[in-house]
Each structure stands twice: as C-alpha cells, then as structure tokens.
Amino acid sequence: MTDEELACRYMDGDNRAFDVLLQRHQTKLFSYILFIVRNEDRANDLFQEAFVKIIVKLQHGKYAPTGKFGAWCMRITHNVIMDWYRERKAEHIIEPTEGNDLSNLSKEGLLDANIENQYNNTQVLSDVKKMMNYLPVSQREVVYMRYYQQMSFKEIASATNVSINTSLGRMRYALLNMRRMARENNMALKME
C-alpha cells in the first residue's frame, strides 16, 4: 500500500496502518532531527513530538492524500524543530552541543576504490561533515536534506516553508562557505 492509502486507512480507524507508516518514516525523520539539533535525547523528544502532531493531524482529518505523505511529515517535523529553536532563542540559551561530528551519517559502501583512495575519500567526507557543523542551521539543513536525504529543492522548499529560490540560495551560500573554510584550512576536498 502507498503511504497515502495507509494514511487514509488510519484516518478510518485502522491503527495497524499507522504502525506501517511509522516504520517507513521513522529513520528518515529521526536522522533529520538528530542532524539539526545534534543531541540524541533532544532528537528523541522532538521525534516523539513530531509523530504526536502527525497522529493528531491525521485523526482530525487534516491530511489530504496528494501523494506526498513523506513531505507532509517532513514539514511537520521541520516545524517542530523550528518551534524548539524559537523556544531556545526566547530563553536566551545559546549553547552549542559538543561531540556531534555527524558520524551517524555514513556513506560507507559507496566508495569502491583501493585502500588509499578509500582512506582519502573517508577523510574528505569527514572534513565535509565537520565543516557542515559550522554552517548556519538553515544552510546545514538544506545541505543535509539535499545530499543525505536526496530531496529535491522543491521538496526542501516545501518542508522548510520557504521558496525554491530561498532553498537554492541557502545551498549556494552553504557551498560558498564550505569552499571558503576548505581554502582557509588548506583542505583538499577531492574524491578519488
């Protein structure tokens, strides 16, 4: 069954349909949250909050089966994260988390080369992930959605509630910032 069919079945009272939806989307949504907030406990809390909102919206019939259930869930999740950031900002707590080097995002297995090339590619990916930590949240978010979740700019724009041009602009600035960081730190970011 498609996500839309499952969502409609859940709205009609079939709780097992939601279990399937949760299973299909939990990894993608949780990894997105963890990437943005950089704290596993906070990510778990926000993930639960996002799925409660998804459940409530489904129960109130606020989902129209348009073929974009995943994007709809991503939008709700994005809004939960932004609400959390607004609360933090309102409390004047600006506290970067430590120890999140993005090692939970692995592209291993994609690189089929000799040992030296594998080492070089692993180092390049590690350097890129470290640089992403220094990007502003909005830029880091677009890079993550584009390269780690393979979302189109249209999907990113929808999920983050901005125009496609804004998404493209954020990506452009992210790439410029990462190139500047690489240049300033004499980093070679060439994959073999």
Side-chain angles (χ1 to χ4, degrees), residues 156-169:
I156 293 169
S158 175
T160 57
N161 200 25
V162 297
S163 70
I164 291 176
N165 286 340
T166 299
S167 294
L168 290 167

Side-chain angles (χ1 to χ4, degrees), residues 24-46:
R24 285 184 186 175
H25 295 279
Q26 67 185 9
T27 301
K28 182 178 180 179
L29 295 176
F30 180 78
S31 63
Y32 167 63
I33 295 167
L34 182 60
F35 179 78
I36 300 300
V37 301
R38 301 176 181 183
N39 177 293
E40 191 167 353
D41 291 334
R42 174 56 56 195
N44 279 316
D45 292 344
L46 292 173

Side-chain angles (χ1 to χ4, degrees), residues 1 3-18 21 55-63 65:
M1 295 181 101
D3 289 344
E4 287 65 34
E5 291 169 333
L6 289 167
C8 288
R9 288 189 68 161
Y10 176 69
M11 289 188 292
D12 290 336
D14 182 355
N15 289 333
R16 289 177 299 189
F18 185 78
L21 287 171
I55 289 168
V56 169
K57 288 182 182 291
L58 285 170
Q59 289 175 343
H60 288 101
K62 293 187 178 181
Y63 172 72

Side-chain angles (χ1 to χ4, degrees), residues 106-140:
S106 176
K107 289 288 184 178
E108 292 173 10
L110 297 179
L111 309 171
D112 293 324
N114 65 38
I115 299 294
E116 185 177 335
N117 287 351
Q118 286 181 0
Y119 176 77
N120 178 63
N121 292 344
T122 300
Q123 186 61 49
V124 168
L125 289 174
S126 174
D127 291 344
V128 167
K129 289 175 185 177
K130 286 176 186 173
M131 285 190 294
M132 285 174 64
N133 279 327
Y134 293 102
L135 292 174
V137 172
S138 61
Q139 292 174 19
R140 186 172 62 240

Side-chain angles (χ1 to χ4, degrees), residues 68-189:
K68 297 179 182 181
F69 182 80
W72 182 75
C73 289
M74 185 65 75
R75 175 79 169 257
I76 292 170
T77 302
H78 169 79
N79 290 341
V80 166
I81 294 169
M82 292 302 108
D83 289 346
W84 176 71
Y85 270 111
R86 282 187 209 102
E87 287 174 16
R88 285 187 66 194
K89 187 176 181 180
E91 295 169 359
H92 301 289
I93 298 173
I94 302 173
E95 186 178 318
T97 60
E98 295 181 27
N100 186 350
D101 63 359
L102 302 179
S103 60
N104 59 327
L105 303 173
S106 176
K107 289 288 184 178
E108 292 173 10
L110 297 179
L111 309 171
D112 293 324
N114 65 38
I115 299 294
E116 185 177 335
N117 287 351
Q118 286 181 0
Y119 176 77
N120 178 63
N121 292 344
T122 300
Q123 186 61 49
V124 168
L125 289 174
S126 174
D127 291 344
V128 167
K129 289 175 185 177
K130 286 176 186 173
M131 285 190 294
M132 285 174 64
N133 279 327
Y134 293 102
L135 292 174
V137 172
S138 61
Q139 292 174 19
R140 186 172 62 240
E141 180 179 47
V142 170
V143 171
Y144 178 77
M145 290 175 151
R146 181 72 178 141
Y147 291 107
Y148 290 95
Q149 294 191 315
Q150 288 83 39
M151 293 174 70
S152 70
F153 284 105
K154 184 176 181 180
E155 291 170 325
I156 293 169
S158 175
T160 57
N161 200 25
V162 297
S163 70
I164 291 176
N165 286 340
T166 299
S167 294
L168 290 167
R170 287 176 179 174
M171 177 61 79
R172 178 178 179 272
Y173 286 117
L175 294 174
L176 289 172
N177 284 332
M178 291 173 70
R179 286 182 186 135
R180 178 187 47 78
M181 285 185 256
R183 195 173 43 252
E184 289 172 357
N185 293 293
N186 296 320
M187 299 168 80
L189 299 178

